[in-house]
């Protein structure tokens, strides 16, 4: 079974939702039969790379709330994150374009290190003091520490077209599936779960999707075709 997760590094509920989903997945009896694939989604796709501002400033401008309301929301998110064992700085974070991070995540997928890099980006954005925005050196440090090839990382960052098509393809696919926000979880392209749901909801979704998988239908027209198996390969007889 495949679970695809559309998310954005700038999304605090994606950070929390990933932890809740992983809690459900860890307890799922068929964990080894579940493939998890992370997909790109930008909350602010038109944002320029050098347009970086404090989170509170972004929240007050985007949602028309007061600074006190924005700070209260951050405090609530900090509490939600702490309940999942996650570090979360409720003061002093900033906000910017995540496009380069998504491009690096596609590079990481090609190198089998996507999960490690996503976790590194989340921790850096929500828990560390140093910003991840408009700082290629910072992104390179995180990517190399997550196990990516240093030369490939720097080449990707230097070429704004590298993996850009893959990011945009993920985002188009999210729109086609009806995702208007993230996190958005899709199980076997049959069930969708939106938002940072409690672990119990993810557990129920996993169980339901697993139980409703279509059985494999074998087509054996003609029969007698040669094949290899645990006991070896059939040898044609004259």
């Amino acid at each position: 079974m495949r679970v695809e997760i559309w998310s954005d590094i700038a999304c605090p509920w994606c950070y929390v939702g990933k932890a809740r989903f992983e809690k459900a997945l860890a307890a799922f009896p068929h964990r080894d039969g579940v493939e998890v694939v992370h997909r790109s989604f930008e909350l602010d796709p038109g944002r320029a790379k050098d347009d970086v501002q404090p989170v509170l400033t972004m929240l007050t401008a985007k949602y028309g709330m007061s600074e006190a309301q924005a700070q209260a929301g951050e405090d609530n998110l900090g509490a939600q994150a702490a309940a999942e064992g996650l570090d979360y700085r409720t003061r002093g974070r900033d906000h910017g374009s995540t496009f380069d991070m998504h491009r690096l995540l596609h590079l990481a997928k090609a190198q089998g290190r996507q999960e490690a890099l996503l976790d590194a980006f989340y921790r850096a954005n929500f828990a560390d003091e140093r910003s991840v925005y408009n700082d290629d050196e910072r992104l390179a440090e995180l990517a190399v520490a997550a196990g990516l090839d240093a030369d490939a990382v720097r080449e990707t960052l230097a070429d704004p077209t590298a993996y850009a098509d893959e990011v945009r393809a993920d985002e188009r696919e999210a729109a086609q599936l009806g995702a208007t926000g993230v996190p958005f979880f899709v199980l076997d392209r049959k069930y969708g779960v939106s938002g940072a749901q409690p672990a119990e909801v993810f557990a129920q979704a996993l169980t339901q999707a697993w139980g409703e998988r279509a059985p494999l239908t074998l087509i054996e027209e003609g029969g007698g075709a040669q094949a290899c198996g645990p006991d070896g390969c059939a040898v044609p007889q004259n």
Side-chain angles (χ1 to χ4, degrees), residues 184-212:
F184 187 66
F185 302 77
V186 176
L187 290 75
D188 263 357
R189 290 299 172 105
K190 188 173 183 179
Y191 293 102
V193 179
S194 181
Q197 300 287 347
E200 293 78 9
V201 173
F202 287 124
Q204 180 182 356
L206 286 167
T207 299
Q208 185 169 347
W210 184 271
E212 295 184 14

Side-chain angles (χ1 to χ4, degrees), residues 89-132:
R89 292 177 64 233
T90 60
R91 305 288 192 280
R93 289 195 307 109
D94 56 15
H95 177 80
S97 171
T98 57
F99 186 58
D100 283 349
M101 285 182 269
H102 283 295
R103 293 195 302 114
L104 286 176
L105 284 167
H106 277 279
L107 170 65
K109 181 181 178 183
Q111 295 188 4
R113 303 299 299 166
Q114 188 185 48
E115 189 85 26
L117 184 58
L118 181 59
D119 286 339
F121 281 161
Y122 274 141
R123 285 193 302 270
N125 184 47
F126 291 107
D128 294 352
E129 290 189 14
R130 184 177 171 185
S131 177
V132 294

Side-chain angles (χ1 to χ4, degrees), residues 118-197:
L118 181 59
D119 286 339
F121 281 161
Y122 274 141
R123 285 193 302 270
N125 184 47
F126 291 107
D128 294 352
E129 290 189 14
R130 184 177 171 185
S131 177
V132 294
Y133 299 106
N134 196 25
D135 187 344
D136 286 357
E137 191 59 34
R138 173 65 166 150
L139 296 185
E141 289 175 6
L142 292 167
V144 172
L148 275 70
D149 177 76
D151 290 339
V153 168
R154 297 190 185 282
E155 289 172 6
T156 299
L157 287 170
D159 178 4
T161 68
Y163 296 99
D165 289 345
E166 288 82 348
V167 175
R168 299 306 183 210
D170 277 356
E171 293 172 340
R172 286 194 300 271
E173 198 164 14
Q176 291 166 359
L177 290 170
T180 57
V182 284
F184 187 66
F185 302 77
V186 176
L187 290 75
D188 263 357
R189 290 299 172 105
K190 188 173 183 179
Y191 293 102
V193 179
S194 181
Q197 300 287 347

